Amino acid sequence: MTTRLDEFESYRTRMNDRIAEIDHLGIKRFYNLDTNCYKDGALDSRTKELLGLVASMVLRCNDCIDYHILQCVDAGLTDAELYDAFNVALVVGGSIVIPHLRHAVESLDLCRQRAG
Amino acid sequence: MTTRLDEFESYRTRMNDRIAEIDHLGIKRFYNLDTNCYKDGALDSRTKELLGLVASMVLRCNDCIDYHILQCVDAGLTDAELYDAFNVALVVGGSIVIPHLRHAVESLDLCRQRAG
Amino acid sequence: MTTRLDEFESYRTRMNDRIAEIDHLGIKRFYNLDTNCYKDGALDSRTKELLGLVASMVLRCNDCIDYHILQCVDAGLTDAELYDAFNVALVVGGSIVIPHLRHAVESLDLCRQRAG
Amino acid sequence: MTTRLDEFESYRTRMNDRIAEIDHLGIKRFYNLDTNCYKDGALDSRTKELLGLVASMVLRCNDCIDYHILQCVDAGLTDAELYDAFNVALVVGGSIVIPHLRHAVESLDLCRQRAG
Amino acid sequence: MTTRLDEFESYRTRMNDRIAEIDHLGIKRFYNLDTNCYKDGALDSRTKELLGLVASMVLRCNDCIDYHILQCVDAGLTDAELYDAFNVALVVGGSIVIPHLRHAVESLDLCRQRAG
Amino acid sequence: MTTRLDEFESYRTRMNDRIAEIDHLGIKRFYNLDTNCYKDGALDSRTKELLGLVASMVLRCNDCIDYHILQCVDAGLTDAELYDAFNVALVVGGSIVIPHLRHAVESLDLCRQRAG
């Protein structure tokens, strides 16, 4: 069955491909910068994905949350670790984050079901 | 010599003490929740302080940045690790974060000078 | 007929129940804090729900707007009072709030139709 | 075929008509102010629509983005000019703007297809 | 003794006078709209000032907070009522609001001292 | 006489120099991307600086506002044109932008006085 997580991934890929066709050096470079900033460095990729997830939650962007949850799961983070990160986002960002917490928990569950 | 970091800490302590005098259960409980969310759990305190720092940078709050830099330094994070976290915040949050990057770098330098 | 307001309520209940299963004290306590902060105190619940509504509008969160409109209607606020609150949110938050004003007016209409 | 852009326009018109029925002088005046601020003045309407578009992108509001893209296309802005504006929004607002860049590029494509 | 609250009021008056000299109808009308939206209507002025205060706190603007605290005190709101409003802002907006809570409590204290 | 605009420029230069010493490729590339995005392209530099200014106003960052006002004045924009841009920012961003409008008008005046 196709879930909203599958639909998001397919839309994301389709539109990023479309954007890759645009002949604009600034936009291309921004995409590279974005990809590179989560690679292993002084901090490992796993920690950086967590940073990206919490930043996405306090800035309240569901698509960014979905992307980073998928990355965090790939990086081997456990549910307990992700709940701890959700809690930091909730406390820093307040109850306005709650709808995005609901979204994040549902995305994580969908992600585990798909894998499992 | 007194730096702006010392002044921030002294103002922060004075006003938090003043707020602690206020007889409001909700406010008191929020402060407890805030303190507890950075304690060791499934994620260690060190990682959580980094999460708090990046959240503060993308939400662009200098006082929160200063507080979490002090906590990160206490938790033993290196400059290279903190620069990596700054970079995630810059990429997620964009050039509007640059003035707060300047502030964060200056705060980190002040913090190292005070220690050294 | 099922409206988007009914769907929101059902999704909200389902996911809050799912989150209640998560064994994380910080998240549980945040939910309690959130519930308690709208109870009668020095300000009555009716005024606090209005505060929650305007905060949700200027922070531009449709789910939070829907929740507080339902609460405001339960608390007996009239359309004229809610329009006045919408206006404060519009002036403070600017034209970027207009899509959320459209959402809020539609939610209020759906809510009155369901009741009526 | 009806696209999401057509649906947005139809919903926007229907709800703005509903809001126009509300007897609230402040809300009416805000709508007038909003309409007038994009008219030719010291800056021409074309430039002002670009300003509205970039403001909508960094504030991350898809409905506002769609509205201003339609206005920009009406004002004769080319794809290359709009991509340049998208890039400014991306750099100022950061990777959190990327989902809205995807939305904006799709809206622009839908708009050109409808015209073409 | 001159406090930061006196300095804010004097700067605010000076710059609003300067802006009033600018020959721009849109800016003048926005100022009128802003003044009018806090006047008695379906909701009384007292409630509207509270809405403005909480909106300012969750949007994290110290100058707006100071302005609305002065207005709330003029409207006769008690400390206990204002603390309740602070708590709603803190829960909705999260710990990122704490530096602005410190500012708000200090402003309220300065305001009471000046009156007393 | 040294104004706050001179102090901002001197602080900005000092800290950007300090950041340039940091050996982090991601941060260096972001700075390049930021510089390049305001250069002449499909849109001219003058229009892009206006976009940067309005983005900074609706995101409510005084340092970014000061930087873009200096750039706009260098690019030859008139006061009347800048007031028109301020108005778009005010309408899109709402009364929460007013303190930043005061700041922007004062910065523009300081900038003209220094030139004159």
Side-chain angles (χ1 to χ4, degrees):
Chain A
M1 206 189 74
T2 304
T3 69
R4 70 155 170 74
L5 206 59
D6 303 312
E7 278 160 18
F8 161 70
E9 284 186 296
S10 136
Y11 175 78
R12 184 177 172 277
T13 302
R14 179 164 64 81
M15 288 311 303
N16 280 354
D17 288 351
R18 168 70 189 93
I19 290 167
E21 290 168 13
I22 295 176
D23 183 31
H24 195 293
L25 197 58
I27 294 176
K28 280 186 208 306
R29 283 188 175 152
F30 195 97
Y31 267 78
N32 285 338
L33 213 57
D34 183 38
T35 305
N36 288 329
C37 97
Y38 298 100
K39 293 192 176 155
D40 285 332
L43 296 173
D44 59 13
S45 177
R46 198 174 173 281
T47 303
K48 286 178 172 183
E49 287 296 341
L50 270 181
L51 296 176
L53 174 62
V54 168
S56 301
M57 289 185 78
V58 298
L59 290 174
R60 301 186 281 124
C61 172
N62 280 346
D63 282 3
C64 306
I65 289 170
D66 284 351
Y67 175 72
H68 285 292
I69 281 184
L70 289 162
Q71 296 293 106
C72 283
V73 165
D74 276 357
L77 285 150
T78 65
D79 285 0
E81 288 170 322
L82 289 169
Y83 296 154
D84 244 15
F86 293 172
N87 187 42
V88 173
L90 185 61
V91 169
V92 175
S95 70
I96 207 82
V97 170
I98 288 181
H100 305 275
L101 174 66
R102 286 194 284 261
H103 186 88
V105 169
E106 192 185 45
S107 294
L108 180 56
D109 286 350
L110 288 169
C111 190
R112 297 297 187 198
Q113 285 159 24
R114 192 166 67 175
Chain B
M1 206 189 74
T2 304
T3 69
R4 70 156 172 73
L5 207 59
D6 303 311
E7 277 161 18
F8 161 70
E9 285 187 294
S10 133
Y11 175 78
R12 183 177 173 279
T13 302
R14 179 165 63 81
M15 288 311 303
N16 280 354
D17 288 351
R18 168 69 188 91
I19 290 167
E21 290 169 12
I22 294 176
D23 183 31
H24 195 294
L25 197 58
I27 294 176
K28 279 184 205 310
R29 282 185 176 157
F30 194 96
Y31 266 77
N32 285 338
L33 213 56
D34 182 37
T35 305
N36 288 329
C37 95
Y38 297 101
K39 292 192 176 156
D40 284 332
L43 296 173
D44 59 13
S45 176
R46 201 173 170 281
T47 304
K48 288 178 171 182
E49 286 297 340
L50 270 182
L51 296 176
L53 174 62
V54 169
S56 301
M57 289 184 77
V58 298
L59 291 173
R60 302 184 283 125
C61 172
N62 280 346
D63 282 3
C64 307
I65 290 171
D66 284 350
Y67 175 71
H68 286 291
I69 281 185
L70 290 162
Q71 296 294 107
C72 284
V73 166
D74 276 357
L77 285 149
T78 66
D79 285 359
E81 288 170 321
L82 290 169
Y83 296 153
D84 244 13
F86 293 172
N87 186 43
V88 172
L90 186 61
V91 170
V92 174
S95 70
I96 207 81
V97 169
I98 288 180
H100 305 276
L101 174 66
R102 286 194 283 262
H103 186 89
V105 169
E106 192 185 45
S107 294
L108 180 57
D109 286 348
L110 288 169
C111 190
R112 298 296 188 198
Q113 283 158 25
R114 192 165 68 177
Chain C
M1 206 190 73
T2 304
T3 70
R4 69 157 172 75
L5 207 59
D6 302 312
E7 278 160 18
F8 161 70
E9 284 186 296
S10 133
Y11 175 78
R12 184 178 172 277
T13 301
R14 179 165 62 82
M15 288 311 303
N16 279 354
D17 287 352
R18 168 69 188 93
I19 290 167
E21 291 169 12
I22 294 176
D23 183 32
H24 195 293
L25 197 58
I27 294 175
K28 281 185 205 308
R29 282 187 176 154
F30 194 98
Y31 266 78
N32 284 339
L33 213 56
D34 182 38
T35 305
N36 288 330
C37 96
Y38 298 100
K39 292 192 177 158
D40 285 332
L43 296 173
D44 59 14
S45 177
R46 199 174 171 282
T47 303
K48 287 178 172 184
E49 286 296 342
L50 271 181
L51 296 176
L53 174 62
V54 169
S56 300
M57 289 184 78
V58 298
L59 290 173
R60 302 183 283 124
C61 172
N62 280 346
D63 282 4
C64 307
I65 289 171
D66 284 351
Y67 175 72
H68 285 293
I69 281 185
L70 289 162
Q71 296 294 107
C72 283
V73 166
D74 276 358
L77 284 149
T78 66
D79 285 359
E81 288 170 323
L82 290 169
Y83 295 154
D84 244 13
F86 292 172
N87 186 44
V88 172
L90 186 61
V91 170
V92 174
S95 70
I96 207 81
V97 170
I98 288 180
H100 305 276
L101 174 66
R102 287 194 283 261
H103 186 89
V105 169
E106 192 185 44
S107 294
L108 180 56
D109 287 349
L110 288 169
C111 189
R112 298 297 186 198
Q113 285 158 24
R114 191 166 69 176
Chain D
M1 206 189 73
T2 304
T3 69
R4 70 157 170 73
L5 207 59
D6 303 312
E7 278 161 17
F8 161 71
E9 284 187 295
S10 133
Y11 175 78
R12 184 178 172 278
T13 301
R14 178 164 64 81
M15 288 311 303
N16 279 353
D17 288 351
R18 168 70 189 91
I19 290 168
E21 291 169 10
I22 295 176
D23 182 32
H24 195 293
L25 197 58
I27 294 175
K28 280 184 207 306
R29 282 187 176 155
F30 195 96
Y31 266 78
N32 285 338
L33 212 55
D34 182 38
T35 305
N36 289 329
C37 97
Y38 298 100
K39 293 193 175 154
D40 284 332
L43 296 173
D44 59 13
S45 176
R46 199 174 171 280
T47 304
K48 287 178 171 184
E49 287 296 341
L50 271 181
L51 296 176
L53 174 62
V54 169
S56 301
M57 289 184 78
V58 297
L59 289 174
R60 302 185 282 123
C61 173
N62 280 346
D63 283 2
C64 307
I65 289 171
D66 284 351
Y67 175 72
H68 285 293
I69 281 185
L70 289 162
Q71 296 293 107
C72 284
V73 166
D74 276 357
L77 285 149
T78 65
D79 284 0
E81 288 171 321
L82 290 170
Y83 297 153
D84 244 14
F86 293 172
N87 187 42
V88 173
L90 186 60
V91 170
V92 175
S95 70
I96 207 81
V97 169
I98 288 181
H100 305 277
L101 174 66
R102 286 194 284 262
H103 186 89
V105 169
E106 193 186 43
S107 294
L108 180 57
D109 287 349
L110 288 169
C111 190
R112 297 297 187 198
Q113 285 159 24
R114 192 165 69 177
Chain E
M1 207 189 73
T2 304
T3 69
R4 70 156 171 75
L5 207 59
D6 303 312
E7 277 161 18
F8 161 70
E9 284 186 295
S10 133
Y11 175 78
R12 183 178 173 277
T13 302
R14 178 164 64 81
M15 287 311 303
N16 280 354
D17 288 351
R18 168 69 188 91
I19 290 168
E21 289 169 12
I22 294 176
D23 183 32
H24 195 293
L25 198 57
I27 294 175
K28 280 186 206 306
R29 281 186 177 156
F30 194 97
Y31 266 78
N32 284 339
L33 213 56
D34 182 39
T35 305
N36 289 329
C37 96
Y38 298 100
K39 292 191 176 157
D40 285 332
L43 296 173
D44 59 13
S45 176
R46 201 173 170 280
T47 303
K48 288 178 171 185
E49 287 297 341
L50 270 181
L51 296 176
L53 174 62
V54 169
S56 301
M57 289 184 79
V58 297
L59 291 173
R60 302 184 284 124
C61 173
N62 280 347
D63 282 3
C64 307
I65 289 170
D66 285 351
Y67 175 72
H68 285 293
I69 282 184
L70 288 162
Q71 296 294 107
C72 284
V73 166
D74 276 357
L77 285 149
T78 66
D79 284 0
E81 288 170 322
L82 290 169
Y83 296 153
D84 243 13
F86 292 172
N87 187 42
V88 172
L90 186 61
V91 170
V92 174
S95 70
I96 207 80
V97 170
I98 288 180
H100 304 276
L101 174 67
R102 286 194 283 262
H103 186 88
V105 169
E106 193 186 42
S107 294
L108 179 57
D109 286 349
L110 288 169
C111 190
R112 298 298 187 198
Q113 284 157 25
R114 191 166 68 177
Chain F
M1 205 189 75
T2 305
T3 68
R4 71 156 171 74
L5 206 58
D6 303 310
E7 278 161 16
F8 161 70
E9 284 186 296
S10 134
Y11 175 78
R12 184 179 172 276
T13 302
R14 180 164 63 80
M15 287 312 302
N16 281 354
D17 288 351
R18 169 71 188 90
I19 290 167
E21 291 169 11
I22 295 176
D23 183 31
H24 195 293
L25 198 57
I27 293 175
K28 279 185 207 309
R29 283 186 175 154
F30 195 97
Y31 266 78
N32 285 338
L33 214 56
D34 182 37
T35 305
N36 288 329
C37 96
Y38 298 101
K39 292 192 177 157
D40 284 333
L43 296 173
D44 59 12
S45 176
R46 200 174 170 279
T47 304
K48 287 178 172 185
E49 286 297 341
L50 270 180
L51 296 176
L53 175 62
V54 169
S56 301
M57 289 184 77
V58 298
L59 290 173
R60 300 185 284 123
C61 173
N62 281 346
D63 282 3
C64 306
I65 289 170
D66 284 351
Y67 175 72
H68 285 292
I69 281 184
L70 289 162
Q71 296 294 106
C72 284
V73 165
D74 275 358
L77 285 151
T78 65
D79 285 0
E81 288 170 322
L82 290 169
Y83 296 153
D84 245 12
F86 292 172
N87 187 43
V88 173
L90 186 60
V91 170
V92 174
S95 69
I96 207 82
V97 170
I98 288 180
H100 305 276
L101 174 66
R102 287 194 283 262
H103 186 88
V105 169
E106 192 185 45
S107 294
L108 180 56
D109 287 349
L110 287 170
C111 190
R112 297 296 186 198
Q113 284 158 24
R114 193 166 66 176

PDB file of all heavy atoms in Angstrom, chain C residues 36-50:
ATOM      1  N   ASN C  36      -3.153  22.180  31.149  1.00  0.00           N
ATOM      2  CA  ASN C  36      -3.406  22.999  32.342  1.00  0.00           C
ATOM      3  C   ASN C  36      -3.359  24.493  32.073  1.00  0.00           C
ATOM      4  O   ASN C  36      -4.013  25.263  32.762  1.00  0.00           O
ATOM      5  CB  ASN C  36      -2.391  22.641  33.440  1.00  0.00           C
ATOM      6  CG  ASN C  36      -2.699  21.274  34.036  1.00  0.00           C
ATOM      7  OD1 ASN C  36      -3.855  20.858  34.085  1.00  0.00           O
ATOM      8  ND2 ASN C  36      -1.655  20.566  34.462  1.00  0.00           N
ATOM      9  N   CYS C  37      -2.600  24.907  31.075  1.00  0.00           N
ATOM     10  CA  CYS C  37      -2.400  26.354  30.934  1.00  0.00           C
ATOM     11  C   CYS C  37      -3.642  27.088  30.440  1.00  0.00           C
ATOM     12  O   CYS C  37      -3.692  28.311  30.519  1.00  0.00           O
ATOM     13  CB  CYS C  37      -1.147  26.671  30.115  1.00  0.00           C
ATOM     14  SG  CYS C  37      -1.404  26.985  28.388  1.00  0.00           S
ATOM     15  N   TYR C  38      -4.656  26.351  29.952  1.00  0.00           N
ATOM     16  CA  TYR C  38      -5.898  27.009  29.508  1.00  0.00           C
ATOM     17  C   TYR C  38      -7.020  26.932  30.546  1.00  0.00           C
ATOM     18  O   TYR C  38      -8.134  27.377  30.295  1.00  0.00           O
ATOM     19  CB  TYR C  38      -6.362  26.416  28.165  1.00  0.00           C
ATOM     20  CG  TYR C  38      -5.335  26.662  27.084  1.00  0.00           C
ATOM     21  CD1 TYR C  38      -4.443  25.670  26.696  1.00  0.00           C
ATOM     22  CD2 TYR C  38      -5.221  27.917  26.489  1.00  0.00           C
ATOM     23  CE1 TYR C  38      -3.473  25.908  25.742  1.00  0.00           C
ATOM     24  CE2 TYR C  38      -4.251  28.166  25.532  1.00  0.00           C
ATOM     25  CZ  TYR C  38      -3.385  27.154  25.164  1.00  0.00           C
ATOM     26  OH  TYR C  38      -2.413  27.405  24.226  1.00  0.00           O
ATOM     27  N   LYS C  39      -6.732  26.365  31.734  1.00  0.00           N
ATOM     28  CA  LYS C  39      -7.760  26.282  32.782  1.00  0.00           C
ATOM     29  C   LYS C  39      -7.938  27.636  33.477  1.00  0.00           C
ATOM     30  O   LYS C  39      -7.037  28.468  33.488  1.00  0.00           O
ATOM     31  CB  LYS C  39      -7.349  25.207  33.802  1.00  0.00           C
ATOM     32  CG  LYS C  39      -7.393  23.794  33.194  1.00  0.00           C
ATOM     33  CD  LYS C  39      -7.279  22.711  34.247  1.00  0.00           C
ATOM     34  CE  LYS C  39      -7.415  21.328  33.560  1.00  0.00           C
ATOM     35  NZ  LYS C  39      -6.805  20.260  34.376  1.00  0.00           N
ATOM     36  N   ASP C  40      -9.116  27.830  34.093  1.00  0.00           N
ATOM     37  CA  ASP C  40      -9.376  29.073  34.822  1.00  0.00           C
ATOM     38  C   ASP C  40      -8.266  29.369  35.825  1.00  0.00           C
ATOM     39  O   ASP C  40      -7.838  28.476  36.561  1.00  0.00           O
ATOM     40  CB  ASP C  40     -10.702  28.952  35.605  1.00  0.00           C
ATOM     41  CG  ASP C  40     -11.918  29.056  34.706  1.00  0.00           C
ATOM     42  OD1 ASP C  40     -11.827  29.720  33.644  1.00  0.00           O
ATOM     43  OD2 ASP C  40     -12.962  28.479  35.058  1.00  0.00           O
ATOM     44  N   GLY C  41      -7.818  30.589  35.861  1.00  0.00           N
ATOM     45  CA  GLY C  41      -6.808  31.031  36.813  1.00  0.00           C
ATOM     46  C   GLY C  41      -7.089  32.500  37.080  1.00  0.00           C
ATOM     47  O   GLY C  41      -8.254  32.887  37.200  1.00  0.00           O
ATOM     48  N   ALA C  42      -6.050  33.300  37.155  1.00  0.00           N
ATOM     49  CA  ALA C  42      -6.273  34.745  37.274  1.00  0.00           C
ATOM     50  C   ALA C  42      -7.053  35.231  36.043  1.00  0.00           C
ATOM     51  O   ALA C  42      -7.906  36.107  36.143  1.00  0.00           O
ATOM     52  CB  ALA C  42      -4.933  35.461  37.398  1.00  0.00           C
ATOM     53  N   LEU C  43      -6.743  34.672  34.880  1.00  0.00           N
ATOM     54  CA  LEU C  43      -7.571  34.878  33.673  1.00  0.00           C
ATOM     55  C   LEU C  43      -8.501  33.674  33.539  1.00  0.00           C
ATOM     56  O   LEU C  43      -8.101  32.554  33.853  1.00  0.00           O
ATOM     57  CB  LEU C  43      -6.694  34.971  32.421  1.00  0.00           C
ATOM     58  CG  LEU C  43      -5.720  36.144  32.314  1.00  0.00           C
ATOM     59  CD1 LEU C  43      -4.828  35.971  31.089  1.00  0.00           C
ATOM     60  CD2 LEU C  43      -6.463  37.486  32.241  1.00  0.00           C
ATOM     61  N   ASP C  44      -9.698  33.913  33.048  1.00  0.00           N
ATOM     62  CA  ASP C  44     -10.601  32.763  32.869  1.00  0.00           C
ATOM     63  C   ASP C  44     -10.256  31.993  31.591  1.00  0.00           C
ATOM     64  O   ASP C  44      -9.544  32.490  30.722  1.00  0.00           O
ATOM     65  CB  ASP C  44     -12.071  33.196  32.894  1.00  0.00           C
ATOM     66  CG  ASP C  44     -12.411  34.198  31.811  1.00  0.00           C
ATOM     67  OD1 ASP C  44     -11.611  34.376  30.871  1.00  0.00           O
ATOM     68  OD2 ASP C  44     -13.483  34.820  31.900  1.00  0.00           O
ATOM     69  N   SER C  45     -10.757  30.784  31.517  1.00  0.00           N
ATOM     70  CA  SER C  45     -10.458  29.868  30.424  1.00  0.00           C
ATOM     71  C   SER C  45     -10.829  30.468  29.064  1.00  0.00           C
ATOM     72  O   SER C  45     -10.119  30.300  28.074  1.00  0.00           O
ATOM     73  CB  SER C  45     -11.247  28.580  30.669  1.00  0.00           C
ATOM     74  OG  SER C  45     -11.059  27.701  29.617  1.00  0.00           O
ATOM     75  N   ARG C  46     -11.935  31.177  29.038  1.00  0.00           N
ATOM     76  CA  ARG C  46     -12.441  31.826  27.827  1.00  0.00           C
ATOM     77  C   ARG C  46     -11.395  32.802  27.240  1.00  0.00           C
ATOM     78  O   ARG C  46     -11.114  32.767  26.041  1.00  0.00           O
ATOM     79  CB  ARG C  46     -13.691  32.592  28.251  1.00  0.00           C
ATOM     80  CG  ARG C  46     -14.657  33.004  27.221  1.00  0.00           C
ATOM     81  CD  ARG C  46     -15.876  33.607  27.956  1.00  0.00           C
ATOM     82  NE  ARG C  46     -16.784  34.228  27.007  1.00  0.00           N
ATOM     83  CZ  ARG C  46     -16.578  35.418  26.458  1.00  0.00           C
ATOM     84  NH1 ARG C  46     -15.514  36.120  26.767  1.00  0.00           N
ATOM     85  NH2 ARG C  46     -17.440  35.908  25.587  1.00  0.00           N
ATOM     86  N   THR C  47     -10.829  33.629  28.098  1.00  0.00           N
ATOM     87  CA  THR C  47      -9.802  34.582  27.652  1.00  0.00           C
ATOM     88  C   THR C  47      -8.550  33.842  27.205  1.00  0.00           C
ATOM     89  O   THR C  47      -7.929  34.189  26.194  1.00  0.00           O
ATOM     90  CB  THR C  47      -9.452  35.557  28.801  1.00  0.00           C
ATOM     91  OG1 THR C  47     -10.650  36.210  29.220  1.00  0.00           O
ATOM     92  CG2 THR C  47      -8.431  36.599  28.359  1.00  0.00           C
ATOM     93  N   LYS C  48      -8.183  32.804  27.959  1.00  0.00           N
ATOM     94  CA  LYS C  48      -6.970  32.051  27.619  1.00  0.00           C
ATOM     95  C   LYS C  48      -7.105  31.346  26.269  1.00  0.00           C
ATOM     96  O   LYS C  48      -6.135  31.251  25.516  1.00  0.00           O
ATOM     97  CB  LYS C  48      -6.661  31.036  28.715  1.00  0.00           C
ATOM     98  CG  LYS C  48      -6.123  31.681  29.987  1.00  0.00           C
ATOM     99  CD  LYS C  48      -5.882  30.607  31.046  1.00  0.00           C
ATOM    100  CE  LYS C  48      -5.161  31.173  32.249  1.00  0.00           C
ATOM    101  NZ  LYS C  48      -4.847  30.098  33.228  1.00  0.00           N
ATOM    102  N   GLU C  49      -8.308  30.844  25.969  1.00  0.00           N
ATOM    103  CA  GLU C  49      -8.502  30.196  24.669  1.00  0.00           C
ATOM    104  C   GLU C  49      -8.344  31.220  23.539  1.00  0.00           C
ATOM    105  O   GLU C  49      -7.791  30.914  22.487  1.00  0.00           O
ATOM    106  CB  GLU C  49      -9.867  29.509  24.598  1.00  0.00           C
ATOM    107  CG  GLU C  49      -9.950  28.227  25.410  1.00  0.00           C
ATOM    108  CD  GLU C  49      -9.007  27.123  24.916  1.00  0.00           C
ATOM    109  OE1 GLU C  49      -8.531  27.186  23.770  1.00  0.00           O
ATOM    110  OE2 GLU C  49      -8.716  26.203  25.702  1.00  0.00           O
ATOM    111  N   LEU C  50      -8.828  32.434  23.770  1.00  0.00           N
ATOM    112  CA  LEU C  50      -8.625  33.515  22.784  1.00  0.00           C
ATOM    113  C   LEU C  50      -7.138  33.794  22.591  1.00  0.00           C
ATOM    114  O   LEU C  50      -6.676  34.020  21.468  1.00  0.00           O
ATOM    115  CB  LEU C  50      -9.296  34.809  23.247  1.00  0.00           C
ATOM    116  CG  LEU C  50     -10.746  35.054  22.862  1.00  0.00           C
ATOM    117  CD1 LEU C  50     -11.176  36.399  23.423  1.00  0.00           C
ATOM    118  CD2 LEU C  50     -10.937  35.025  21.343  1.00  0.00           C
TER     119      LEU C  50
END
